[in-house]
Amino acid sequence: MAEIGPNTRLRVSPFYEATVREGVTGFSPYNKMLMPVSYGHPQAEYERLLTGVAQWDVAVERQVEIKGPNAAALAQILSVRDISKIEFGMGRYVPMCDHRGVLINDPVLLKLEEDRYWFSIGDNNILLWARAIAAERGIEAEIEEPDVSPMALQGPKAEDVVASVLGDRVRSLRYFGFDHAEINGIPLIVQRSGYSKQGGFELYLLDGSRGSELWDIFREAGQPFGIGPGNPNPAERIESGLLSFGGDTDDQTTPFEVRLGKYVNLDLPDEVVGIPALRKHHAGGLKRHLVGVKLEDQNQRPGHLRWYDVEKNGTRVGSMTNGVWSPRFGKTIGYLLVTTDVQPGDRVEVLREDGRFAGTVSDIPFY
Ligand code: THG
């Protein structure tokens, strides 16, 4: 049997041993690490997330730290959303674009101090990007990837579990609000956040040598609440309308096309990478957009391996980016990145390797 495993170029999560003990059955490479993507019980993993609490190794969400007197200026140059009003101890969902106005990441930006920010990034080499932009603009700043590894607790009972370990003060955190914490001498940042719409927290481990300990503390505390392992859940995230950068986007995708326009401030100065191009895209009008689709196909199939062509009235209109069996709807649902004439209610056909599948376009989110 061939295997993919950690090596010196495919870095090990501090929670790796813990996830192996939990019975992880699949990984996906992400930010030169491995992200658990299955524990072999998709139905139970989904149920836990919607009704209880799930524990996720999301250490692949690396932090790019920007530090020094120019940190705020550089962080703004890298973000197409106005970050000037973020308070200490708060985060914001902040799209990043290249000079063409094409989305290159959708991080959560955390403001730690006046002179210190973290971009909590999705899958792309933002460390390289941030250093290159800083150097080319002659901006001096410390730009590093610190030893910080998020673990998520997601689901309606996550708050009770986190409060039972870190105290009731976590209950008063606002969405994306965060604070320092410590348990058994393990340094953490705790934030109300996470890649689901079921509520929850992320615990940013600040000492990579203590991943198993941290995992077990929350695993133990979660027993009365039925905690179990999971991972960013494709069914829940599509039902809820969350974007997967790189999964639902290609090398042409602007934030406007994928419903992130409300996080773009076109009146930011021209020096912000992507803003001049985004103004042009905005003036030119939207040509593609992301919409939902429900397929007639009643068979539960594994997730997409690639994008599939989509036709409306026999003409190709774009692609189906991701699709998944939805327990909520009892059908395959997914996203289409298609021309803007394709609207909710329209009938389309998706050309998969196993056949043509008819479906109906719907709004995002699905419920
Ligand atoms: N956790 C952390 N960082 C991350 C991710 C994460 N960085 C990369 C990747 N995941 C980014 N993706 C998202 C996408 C959406 C949200 C969080 C991370 C999110 N969105 C809310 C929504 O869309 O409703 C709120 C957005 C808002 O309006 O501010 O929470 O999982 N640390």
Side-chain angles (χ1 to χ4, degrees):
M1 247 279 268
E3 277 182 17
I4 281 189
N7 62 51
T8 50
R9 280 178 295 99
L10 197 53
R11 306 172 294 172
V12 189
S13 161
F15 309 113
Y16 180 72
E17 280 80 19
T19 62
V20 169
R21 251 194 289 123
E22 297 280 5
V24 63
T25 57
F27 290 102
S28 175
Y30 190 115
N31 280 332
K32 294 180 278 175
M33 294 179 74
L34 292 172
M35 171 167 58
V37 294
S38 177
Y39 291 83
H41 306 284
Q43 187 64 29
E45 290 161 30
Y46 175 88
E47 294 282 322
R48 261 201 300 271
L49 175 58
L50 268 80
T51 63
V53 51
Q55 188 172 14
W56 300 355
D57 170 6
V58 283
V60 297
E61 257 106 40
R62 304 314 290 169
Q63 313 306 303
V64 174
E65 177 170 289
I66 316 259
K67 201 171 145 188
N70 300 319
L74 178 58
Q76 182 63 82
I77 282 170
L78 298 169
S79 309
V80 298
R81 183 172 185 184
D82 182 358
I83 64 162
S84 63
K85 300 201 175 62
I86 308 183
E87 306 151 45
F88 300 123
M90 273 302 290
R92 282 267 206 300
Y93 188 36
V94 163
M96 298 176 107
C97 291
D98 68 11
H99 302 78
R100 300 172 299 154
V102 167
L103 194 68
I104 58 165
N105 217 295
D106 67 334
V108 177
L109 178 65
L110 288 79
K111 183 168 178 177
L112 295 139
E113 294 160 36
E114 191 60 50
D115 292 347
R116 191 154 75 106
Y117 291 81
W118 285 350
F119 285 101
S120 181
I121 60 168
D123 185 26
N124 217 354
N125 200 331
I126 297 302
L127 184 62
L128 195 64
W129 174 257
R131 284 182 178 153
I133 298 293
E136 293 294 315
R137 300 287 177 93
I139 300 170
E140 265 183 57
E142 291 172 53
I143 306 170
E144 300 291 341
E145 186 192 285
D147 173 14
V148 176
S149 301
M151 175 182 90
L153 295 185
Q154 297 289 298
K157 295 181 180 162
E159 181 170 317
D160 288 335
V161 177
V162 176
S164 77
V165 176
L166 299 178
D168 279 331
R169 68 189 175 102
V170 301
R171 297 187 191 275
S172 55
L173 287 172
R174 290 174 288 161
Y175 198 72
F176 285 144
F178 64 87
D179 202 355
H180 284 271
E182 201 178 273
I183 180 73
N184 291 0
I186 307 173
L188 302 174
I189 282 177
V190 54
Q191 183 179 36
R192 190 188 290 277
S193 56
Y195 191 65
S196 86
K197 287 295 223 175
Q198 306 311 312
F201 290 79
E202 290 178 304
L203 301 150
Y204 295 72
L205 170 64
L206 306 184
D207 176 352
S209 72
R210 307 194 66 181
S212 291
E213 268 177 274
L214 185 71
W215 186 276
D216 288 342
I217 288 168
F218 283 91
R219 184 183 200 278
E220 196 62 32
Q223 290 311 310
F225 304 95
I227 200 169
N231 52 273
N233 188 282
E236 191 278 339
R237 77 98 183 167
I238 291 177
E239 291 170 356
S240 300
L242 292 171
L243 181 75
S244 167
F245 168 76
D248 303 316
T249 63
D250 61 15
D251 190 38
Q252 313 277 336
T253 308
T254 71
F256 303 121
E257 292 178 323
V258 289
R259 309 165 51 79
L260 299 188
K262 61 184 163 185
Y263 307 121
V264 176
N265 294 111
L266 290 175
D267 48 2
L268 284 168
D270 284 7
E271 65 179 10
V272 173
V273 181
I275 284 293
L278 287 169
R279 285 197 208 109
K280 287 190 189 134
H281 287 300
H282 192 256
L286 204 55
K287 289 168 193 72
R288 289 194 304 181
H289 64 171
L290 197 71
V291 291
V293 69
K294 287 180 184 160
L295 299 186
E296 251 96 274
D297 174 26
Q298 298 290 322
N299 295 317
Q300 301 191 28
R301 290 167 209 273
H304 281 196
L305 297 180
R306 60 182 70 83
W307 288 17
Y308 299 118
D309 284 353
V310 178
E311 292 183 357
K312 176 179 152 182
N313 300 330
T315 304
R316 183 170 183 274
V317 288
S319 302
M320 181 162 178
T321 62
N322 272 282
V324 67
W325 173 257
S326 163
R328 183 183 290 268
F329 296 107
K331 1 171 110 74
T332 296
I333 65 166
Y335 292 159
L336 309 179
L337 188 54
V338 286
T339 49
T340 46
D341 59 297
V342 180
Q343 289 290 331
D346 285 356
R347 302 280 296 159
V348 291
E349 278 196 315
V350 177
L351 282 64
R352 274 195 333 219
E353 54 272 273
D354 52 343
R356 299 176 76 95
F357 292 90
T360 305
V361 177
S362 71
D363 277 320
I364 299 175
F366 282 85
Y367 70 98

